[in-house]
Amino acid sequence: MTTIESILDRLTQAVSGTDKELFTKEEREKFAMFYCDKWDENTSDDVIAESFVDYWWDTERTCRRCSECGKLMRAGYCADMGVAYYCSEDCLHTDFTDEEWAAECENNDQSYYTEW
């Protein structure tokens, strides 16, 4: 078993503080309370961060996690229907040049920039 504080500390570390930018303290605590009796101190930061995204998936508070830097985002690039997400041009350019991204979007209508 783990504490709410431990879950939130590890979440904040995994997503570079973007949880605090996009969600209220109460929303973050609600998430942590849900998982408090399911996790222990060995639960990885990435499992916590991915669970946070899943927790809010089908709500008005939905977000995605950048595949490159791990930050949470409410707008960004979606590649191939969610195979990868990018929060910024810098992150996008780790896998695509401007020309490659333009070609990807032209050839695959499941690759685009959007807001969630």
Side-chain angles (χ1 to χ4, degrees), residues 16-34:
S16 301
T18 51
D19 58 318
K20 292 180 177 180
E21 294 172 17
L22 298 176
F23 292 87
T24 66
K25 180 181 179 183
E26 292 78 20
E27 289 169 329
R28 295 171 63 249
E29 287 176 350
K30 181 179 173 186
F31 159 78
M33 284 188 288
F34 182 79

Side-chain angles (χ1 to χ4, degrees), residues 4 7 15 22 30 37 40-41 45-46 58-60 65 67 74 76-77 82 85 89 99 105 108-111 115:
I4 290 171
I7 290 171
V15 300
L22 298 176
K30 181 179 173 186
D37 64 346
D40 62 26
E41 293 305 313
D45 295 358
D46 280 332
D58 197 24
T59 72
E60 291 182 16
R65 187 171 184 221
S67 301
R74 290 232 168 90
Y77 302 90
Y85 297 102
E89 284 189 16
E99 296 79 19
C105 292
N108 183 350
D109 65 353
Q110 298 300 313
S111 292
E115 294 180 11

Side-chain angles (χ1 to χ4, degrees), residues 25-78:
K25 180 181 179 183
E26 292 78 20
E27 289 169 329
R28 295 171 63 249
E29 287 176 350
K30 181 179 173 186
F31 159 78
M33 284 188 288
F34 182 79
Y35 284 103
C36 200
D37 64 346
K38 297 169 181 62
W39 291 335
D40 62 26
E41 293 305 313
N42 294 317
T43 304
S44 77
D45 295 358
D46 280 332
V47 165
I48 292 171
E50 291 302 321
S51 296
F52 189 80
V53 172
D54 291 346
Y55 183 83
W56 298 104
W57 188 265
D58 197 24
T59 72
E60 291 182 16
R61 304 293 289 149
T62 191
C63 63
R64 303 292 188 271
R65 187 171 184 221
C66 181
S67 301
E68 194 58 36
C69 71
K71 291 180 179 178
L72 298 175
M73 57 189 202
R74 290 232 168 90
Y77 302 90
C78 175

Side-chain angles (χ1 to χ4, degrees), residues 67-68 86 88-97:
S67 301
E68 194 58 36
Y86 305 96
S88 66
E89 284 189 16
D90 287 342
C91 286
L92 176 70
H93 289 144
T94 61
D95 290 331
F96 295 93
T97 64

